[in-house]
Amino acid sequence: MSRTLLLTALIAICGCSSEQSAPVPERPHRVVVADHTLEAFGGRLSGTDAGEWIGKLVFQDADGDLETVLNENVHGIVENPEGVFVFTGLAHLSANEGYVYRLARTDDGPVAAIRLGRLPGAPSRVRQAQRGGAISFLVYSGYRNDRQLFECYQLAGSIVSRGHDCLPPKRPAPDNSFQ
């Protein structure tokens, strides 16, 4: 009996109750909006571009499980008869780099990214004009007289070469600030 009294006294002193507390609510999941998606390998590939904070490529399988494939800024995910390809890169301050990866998955294992090669700069405006056709994209090549310069490239099969069918670069938003 003295133990029960002692326990009751301790509970009263600490302000606790002998009742179980309500469960702690789960932290809300962070919602990430993908910049690029593609249904592939029985699931979905989603890529983000977070600039200098680095984006990522993730694969979500049919059960909803996520796995990170790459920790790089994703500028495009495309598929052609040669496979599934991802374009990554960063053009920030003095950095200007880009890569092309081929994705593969065997026997329900993880999706793997195999680097095909380095691009001469960060890719942008990745597009496929017709399903199964060549993929065109721009590569940032620097500035001249306060104007950004881009070069057109294409991925035909798994070969990157100079292209001719690129969308023009996006124009920067006008500066409507008061001076």
Side-chain angles (χ1 to χ4, degrees), residues 158-176:
S158 60
I159 309 269
V160 173
S161 62
R162 294 282 184 162
H164 59 278
D165 191 26
C166 291
L167 292 174
K170 289 184 179 180
R171 294 192 183 273
D175 182 9
N176 295 326

Side-chain angles (χ1 to χ4, degrees), residues 16-23:
C16 303
S17 80
S18 59
E19 297 176 17
Q20 290 184 348
S21 61

